[in-house]
Amino acid sequence: MSPSRPALLALALACLLPSLANAATPYRSPQQILDASPASDWRTPDPANLLYLNLDGGRVTIELAPAFAPRHVANIQTLAGEHFWDGESIYRAQDNFVVQFGDADADDAAKAKPLGSAQRKLRAEFERDSKGLKISVLPDRDGWADQTGFVDGFPVGQDRQAGKAWLAHCYGMLGAGRNNEEDSSIGAELYVVTGQSPRQLDRNITVVGRVLQGMELLSALPRGPAPMGFYADAAQRTPIRSIQRASDVPASERPPLQVLRTDSKTFADTVEARRNRVDDFYKRPAGHIDLCNIPVPVR
Amino acid sequence: MSPSRPALLALALACLLPSLANAATPYRSPQQILDASPASDWRTPDPANLLYLNLDGGRVTIELAPAFAPRHVANIQTLAGEHFWDGESIYRAQDNFVVQFGDADADDAAKAKPLGSAQRKLRAEFERDSKGLKISVLPDRDGWADQTGFVDGFPVGQDRQAGKAWLAHCYGMLGAGRNNEEDSSIGAELYVVTGQSPRQLDRNITVVGRVLQGMELLSALPRGPAPMGFYADAAQRTPIRSIQRASDVPASERPPLQVLRTDSKTFADTVEARRNRVDDFYKRPAGHIDLCNIPVPVR
């Protein structure tokens, strides 16, 4: 490997950093950086784009991404507003992959829950034009995409030559399940990534949002014993009390919640602190971070 | 981005593959490839290197990696042989990261369980010389390592210039917990990766093995409510009935188990089938796979 390759450069930088850090600006952990962040680096998500997935065990809070999947997001908002999911279930938990929820009988016309005024057919939204999109770009190379970064808290990949960007399948991302046909998702059957980021699904499925809080209510569910993690026995499924739009809940009953702005210096600093950890524990800073290893802080 | 870059070439190959596949050799899924594998592509792990972690919910089977961490593996074998872990617990489950087990009172000299004849101090085994190591190398670039691949079923990174190789922190890998000092692990406190691969830990901790079966018994545990996923309340911990060396169990009581040889053509074919999925579901083969997205089949 020639010394001019980026990996070696990164390694060299990583090796330099400890002394530099000690000399000039002492290393701060991501948490220390967050603790010192100005209030202006945090945003309050629009309640119209927040979903509350209410389970017996607690609440999962989801932020939808209309900038990437406007048609699916609108349909999901309609479905939630009409209480489509209330009384339905989480009917699949596949280890190191996804949990999936919605109407377990969706494929059985005789038993399927009516979709109300929601659209029955939507065009796929696998990617969007990257024109006009402000991506906070990561410095490291990625095997799955030409370039990666964040837009409004969502992890994205982009292909600069094709001028396309898409939401990446990182831990906690919410996607719209589909059958083999590209346009067979309408947002009624949803899944959340609970395992090693299945980036091979990027640009193959419409991704619609991200779990902000409550992931452990999904990730720790007993895995389904049937193939692909389905629960053949309905009694094993996790009941969904309701999925609500936060905007349908009185403001006084919405727990306060803020997301770190991914275009802020605070966020960039936490990314750098993860790329090169210079604390008592780490002996060798990596000089690298993958898109899906970067949590977007929520408070 | 210039069209001569590897990512674009990979994409171009990916786009070509469907028609090539249909014309010459039809695409086979990883499962179809496994179903057609010759018996000689499978190996039976040495029972001296297998551990049974027996929980109330079932058994987790682990393969140790003496080729990478001989001192730690020998100590773990001693500890298991002397029943060190029997009656201890899984005392930590941090979401999207690790579960950890051993003696929850290890840091309290008054309460700590005696270590028997095991070593109290071991040198770190973060990496080894790559000389003489036969790595089945992956074709795709990786951000964390110069090169990646597999050795005897274990995911590894290597630095060709430095002549070093190490076990990578993928899902299901087993590591030896330590304090801040490099040489503070002895294999008594162990963790298993249950979340997005924390590759920043590579070469910072001694990795000692991999879970072959029973991951769902660890990954679906309720997350610990205390910081870093610890269970402050001992009643919330998961009791460990025992950790046994398979070689201490009569051969007739050992469930048969085989691991696909990672230096076999069958394995290489499954990797390629994951790099470029050409089936009715996938609309865009990725032309790429990350080290930690490749499960090593066990039957």
Side-chain angles (χ1 to χ4, degrees):
Chain A
M1 183 176 201
S2 113
S4 65
R5 292 273 187 86
L8 266 193
L9 280 178
L11 190 61
L13 282 172
C15 295
L16 281 176
L17 259 178
S19 50
L20 284 180
N22 290 338
T25 48
Y27 178 80
R28 294 184 301 159
S29 71
Q31 189 56 54
Q32 288 172 319
I33 292 166
L34 292 180
D35 290 345
S37 63
S40 57
D41 280 355
W42 297 80
R43 67 183 172 85
T44 299
D46 181 348
N49 293 329
L50 281 187
L51 291 182
Y52 295 147
L53 162 56
N54 299 305
L55 306 173
D56 292 346
R59 172 176 287 176
V60 181
T61 303
I62 292 164
E63 184 171 14
L64 298 170
F68 285 84
R71 294 184 289 273
H72 281 74
V73 165
N75 221 35
I76 289 167
Q77 288 165 328
T78 298
L79 289 163
E82 296 179 1
H83 309 286
F84 172 75
W85 289 287
D86 303 9
E88 298 297 329
S89 69
I90 301 173
Y91 51 75
R92 177 186 182 196
Q94 182 171 356
D95 194 51
N96 195 21
F97 193 36
V98 298
V99 297
Q100 187 173 327
F101 55 94
D103 176 11
D105 296 318
D107 290 336
D108 180 342
K111 291 194 203 165
K113 187 160 179 176
L115 290 163
S117 60
Q119 300 292 321
R120 270 73 171 157
K121 196 90 181 169
L122 291 179
R123 269 191 293 139
E125 297 174 293
F126 296 167
E127 60 186 18
R128 55 158 283 174
D129 284 350
S130 54
K131 210 172 167 178
L133 203 58
K134 198 181 157 227
I135 303 178
S136 300
V137 172
L138 291 176
D140 298 312
R141 64 181 182 177
D142 179 270
W144 305 93
D146 164 34
Q147 206 172 56
T148 63
F150 288 86
V151 173
D152 293 337
F154 296 102
V156 303
Q158 79 163 323
D159 179 332
R160 283 171 291 183
Q161 195 167 68
K164 297 292 179 188
W166 57 90
L167 295 179
H169 276 84
C170 296
Y171 187 79
M173 293 298 284
L174 178 76
R178 66 164 170 86
N179 297 321
N180 283 343
E181 299 72 33
E182 260 192 48
D183 60 355
S184 58
S185 67
I186 59 166
E189 310 307 311
L190 296 165
Y191 64 89
V192 171
V193 174
T194 57
Q196 177 70 20
S197 48
R199 299 274 305 277
Q200 69 277 3
L201 293 173
D202 290 2
R203 309 175 93 177
N204 279 289
I205 299 197
T206 300
V207 182
V208 299
R210 176 172 93 92
V211 171
L212 298 183
Q213 288 182 327
M215 263 308 290
E216 67 283 1
L217 296 169
L218 303 177
S219 58
L221 289 175
R223 282 31 177 168
M228 297 173 68
F230 284 94
Y231 303 101
D233 176 0
Q236 296 177 321
R237 297 174 189 152
T238 300
I240 294 175
R241 288 189 182 178
S242 65
I243 297 184
Q244 305 167 286
R245 301 181 293 204
S247 52
D248 288 340
V249 172
S252 61
E253 294 170 27
R254 292 178 217 145
L257 181 151
Q258 290 191 303
V259 182
L260 186 66
R261 290 184 195 278
T262 44
D263 58 357
S264 67
K265 180 170 185 308
T266 296
F267 183 69
D269 288 348
T270 67
V271 170
E272 185 51 36
R274 289 181 185 281
R275 295 183 71 243
N276 286 299
R277 302 190 197 224
V278 187
D279 58 18
D280 291 338
F281 185 83
Y282 281 87
K283 309 307 174 191
R284 182 190 289 272
H288 176 89
I289 194 82
D290 271 352
L291 176 67
C292 293
N293 283 106
I294 302 172
V296 176
V298 173
R299 68 179 187 188
Chain B
M1 184 178 197
S2 113
S4 65
R5 292 272 188 88
L8 267 191
L9 280 178
L11 190 62
L13 283 171
C15 296
L16 281 174
L17 259 178
S19 49
L20 284 179
N22 289 339
T25 50
Y27 178 81
R28 293 183 302 159
S29 71
Q31 189 57 52
Q32 288 172 317
I33 293 166
L34 291 180
D35 290 345
S37 64
S40 57
D41 280 354
W42 297 79
R43 67 183 172 88
T44 300
D46 181 347
N49 293 330
L50 281 188
L51 291 182
Y52 296 148
L53 161 57
N54 298 305
L55 306 173
D56 292 347
R59 173 176 285 175
V60 180
T61 303
I62 292 165
E63 183 171 16
L64 298 170
F68 285 85
R71 293 184 290 273
H72 281 75
V73 166
N75 223 33
I76 289 168
Q77 288 166 327
T78 298
L79 289 162
E82 296 179 359
H83 309 286
F84 172 75
W85 288 286
D86 303 10
E88 299 298 328
S89 68
I90 301 174
Y91 52 74
R92 178 186 182 195
Q94 183 170 353
D95 194 52
N96 194 22
F97 192 36
V98 297
V99 297
Q100 188 172 327
F101 55 95
D103 176 10
D105 296 319
D107 290 336
D108 181 341
K111 290 195 202 164
K113 186 160 179 176
L115 291 163
S117 61
Q119 300 291 320
R120 270 73 172 158
K121 197 89 181 170
L122 291 179
R123 270 191 292 138
E125 298 174 292
F126 296 168
E127 59 187 18
R128 55 158 284 173
D129 285 349
S130 55
K131 210 173 167 177
L133 203 59
K134 198 182 158 229
I135 302 178
S136 301
V137 171
L138 291 176
D140 298 311
R141 63 180 182 178
D142 179 271
W144 305 92
D146 163 35
Q147 206 173 55
T148 62
F150 288 86
V151 174
D152 292 337
F154 296 102
V156 303
Q158 79 163 320
D159 179 333
R160 283 171 289 182
Q161 195 166 68
K164 297 291 180 188
W166 57 90
L167 295 178
H169 276 83
C170 296
Y171 186 80
M173 293 298 283
L174 178 76
R178 66 164 170 87
N179 296 321
N180 284 342
E181 299 73 32
E182 260 193 50
D183 59 355
S184 58
S185 66
I186 59 167
E189 310 307 311
L190 296 165
Y191 63 90
V192 171
V193 174
T194 57
Q196 177 70 19
S197 49
R199 299 275 308 276
Q200 70 277 3
L201 292 173
D202 288 3
R203 308 174 94 178
N204 279 289
I205 299 197
T206 300
V207 182
V208 298
R210 176 171 92 90
V211 171
L212 298 183
Q213 287 182 327
M215 263 308 291
E216 67 285 0
L217 296 169
L218 304 176
S219 58
L221 289 175
R223 282 30 176 169
M228 297 172 68
F230 285 94
Y231 303 102
D233 177 1
Q236 295 177 321
R237 296 173 189 153
T238 301
I240 294 176
R241 288 189 183 179
S242 65
I243 297 185
Q244 304 167 286
R245 301 181 294 204
S247 51
D248 288 340
V249 172
S252 61
E253 294 170 27
R254 294 178 215 145
L257 181 151
Q258 290 191 303
V259 182
L260 187 66
R261 290 184 195 276
T262 43
D263 58 357
S264 66
K265 182 171 184 306
T266 296
F267 183 69
D269 287 349
T270 68
V271 170
E272 185 50 37
R274 289 181 184 282
R275 294 183 72 243
N276 286 298
R277 300 189 198 225
V278 187
D279 58 18
D280 291 339
F281 184 82
Y282 280 87
K283 308 308 173 190
R284 180 190 290 271
H288 176 89
I289 195 80
D290 270 353
L291 176 66
C292 292
N293 283 105
I294 302 172
V296 176
V298 174
R299 68 178 187 189

